[in-house]
Amino acid sequence: MTRLYTDEVELYDIAFTWDLEDEVSWLLERFGPSCRTVLEPGSGTGRMLEALALRGLAPCGIDSSPAMIAFSRARLSDAGVHAGVMLADMTNFELDARFDAAVCPINTLSHLTEEEFASHLARVAEHVEPGARYLVQVGVFDDDQRPPPNEWEAERDGTALRIEWALVDRDLDARRERHRSRIEVLSGPREGDVFEEVHEMTAWTSSAWRAAIAASPFTQLAAYDGGDRSRPEVELEHSGGLMWHELAAP
Ligand SMILES: C[S@@+](CC[C@H](N)C(=O)[O-])C[C@H]1O[C@@H](n2cnc3c(N)ncnc32)[C@H](O)[C@@H]1O
């Protein structure tokens, strides 16, 4: 399991907490007006759970990292909102509930192997209402070019971070890619600390993605360019970025 998700949850949360208002409004349009309950597999520190609960929805997150579960429970309690949060593996879970929609942001599903991804979609299909939307954000690339690293800074309560997320390499034949995360603490109690980790992930090509969805219980309705703030709809065959995929349950 990624150390960033088990040992450095606080750093993860500072680095990846940004304003979700616009994204949540867009997601709610996709979920439809009758949506009340939302499942988030891999809910992490609960930033999406909190944003959905603040909109009056009843979200439920599952995550396999106990540290993430503890952090998200504290966050939801501090925010004075309610969301279900459970320790569970998204490739093999059983909840006594069916949801109106589901969401999985920022390439979380690329942490799963193709077999795990297939199991995951089968489990989610068992936990959503017929026709429910599952919005997943997953990168799809048909070439092995390395884009410049993503670099940004984030700050909370005196702890400032410089974050770099870079593709190390992508092997399209083996369908594997490696990413390197680097978080440097610029100020605060841990000033000078540097966290670095290499993440082994699945490399999704457009044809492999289409085949995986076709073999799953879901149908893909649309794809959107997740790297563009206006999230324009793109062809289902589109590749070259982190995209939002709109899936519909049977
Ligand atoms: C990139 S983080 C995303 C967290 C959150 N969805 C967000 O948007 O900030 C990925 C999360 O997925 C969780 N995760 C990875 N593999 C998992 C699995 N097999 N089952 C459940 N959670 C998993 C990690 O613990 C981590 O919290």
Side-chain angles (χ1 to χ4, degrees), residues 171-239:
D171 181 338
L172 290 177
D173 295 329
R175 307 274 321 291
R176 302 297 299 160
E177 60 189 42
R178 292 185 305 152
H179 296 218
R180 175 177 288 109
S181 60
R182 183 178 192 280
I183 302 180
E184 183 182 348
V185 183
L186 303 177
S187 67
R190 293 182 58 185
E191 183 175 337
D193 280 6
V194 176
F195 170 85
E196 271 191 281
E197 186 172 23
V198 172
H199 310 270
E200 298 276 346
M201 300 174 82
T202 295
W204 284 106
T205 59
S206 53
S207 59
W209 177 261
R210 278 203 307 281
I213 300 303
S216 83
F218 285 90
T219 306
Q220 179 144 5
L221 298 183
Y224 307 87
D225 182 351
D228 183 319
R229 286 186 73 79
S230 64
R231 299 177 201 84
E233 187 166 350
V234 292
E235 306 265 307
L236 293 188
E237 296 73 27
H238 189 81
S239 68

Side-chain angles (χ1 to χ4, degrees), residues 42-100:
S43 49
T45 55
R47 61 189 194 119
M48 181 61 81
L49 298 176
E50 179 184 349
L52 292 169
L54 285 170
R55 295 292 189 96
L57 280 92
C60 175
I62 58 170
D63 203 287
S64 54
S65 159
M68 286 290 195
I69 295 291
F71 192 101
S72 57
R73 285 192 175 138
R75 169 202 219 112
L76 294 161
S77 159
D78 288 351
V81 292
H82 179 73
V85 186
M86 267 160 284
L87 185 67
D89 185 330
M90 68 166 91
T91 67
N92 179 20
F93 63 96
E94 191 72 58
L95 304 176
D96 191 17
R98 274 192 181 256
F99 298 87
D100 299 326

Side-chain angles (χ1 to χ4, degrees), residues 4-221:
L4 186 55
Y5 304 150
T6 54
D7 302 353
E8 294 292 359
V9 169
E10 179 104 43
L11 293 188
Y12 171 87
D13 192 57
I14 298 174
F16 288 90
T17 294
W18 50 72
D19 187 358
L20 287 178
E21 282 309 293
D22 180 53
E23 192 157 64
V24 166
S25 298
W26 181 83
L27 286 168
L28 296 191
E29 281 173 30
R30 310 271 91 62
F31 294 161
S34 57
C35 176
R36 285 275 311 125
T37 57
V38 181
L39 173 67
E40 188 192 0
S43 49
T45 55
R47 61 189 194 119
M48 181 61 81
L49 298 176
E50 179 184 349
L52 292 169
L54 285 170
R55 295 292 189 96
L57 280 92
C60 175
I62 58 170
D63 203 287
S64 54
S65 159
M68 286 290 195
I69 295 291
F71 192 101
S72 57
R73 285 192 175 138
R75 169 202 219 112
L76 294 161
S77 159
D78 288 351
V81 292
H82 179 73
V85 186
M86 267 160 284
L87 185 67
D89 185 330
M90 68 166 91
T91 67
N92 179 20
F93 63 96
E94 191 72 58
L95 304 176
D96 191 17
R98 274 192 181 256
F99 298 87
D100 299 326
V103 62
C104 193
I106 50 170
N107 222 14
T108 295
L109 296 180
S110 294
H111 286 294
L112 306 181
T113 64
E114 288 177 78
E115 293 71 27
E116 289 170 339
F117 179 66
S119 305
H120 169 68
L121 288 184
R123 294 319 302 144
V124 174
E126 291 292 317
H127 286 85
V128 292
E129 297 291 349
R133 298 294 189 267
Y134 185 20
L135 269 290
V136 303
Q137 197 179 24
V138 172
V140 177
F141 295 89
D142 286 328
D143 63 53
D144 56 8
Q145 280 172 15
R146 282 199 304 165
N150 240 328
E151 292 170 325
W152 71 101
E153 291 191 5
E155 192 269 338
R156 183 190 298 151
D157 300 335
T159 293
L161 308 178
R162 180 181 298 126
I163 305 106
E164 188 181 300
W165 195 285
L167 177 70
V168 179
D169 49 37
R170 172 177 293 131
D171 181 338
L172 290 177
D173 295 329
R175 307 274 321 291
R176 302 297 299 160
E177 60 189 42
R178 292 185 305 152
H179 296 218
R180 175 177 288 109
S181 60
R182 183 178 192 280
I183 302 180
E184 183 182 348
V185 183
L186 303 177
S187 67
R190 293 182 58 185
E191 183 175 337
D193 280 6
V194 176
F195 170 85
E196 271 191 281
E197 186 172 23
V198 172
H199 310 270
E200 298 276 346
M201 300 174 82
T202 295
W204 284 106
T205 59
S206 53
S207 59
W209 177 261
R210 278 203 307 281
I213 300 303
S216 83
F218 285 90
T219 306
Q220 179 144 5
L221 298 183

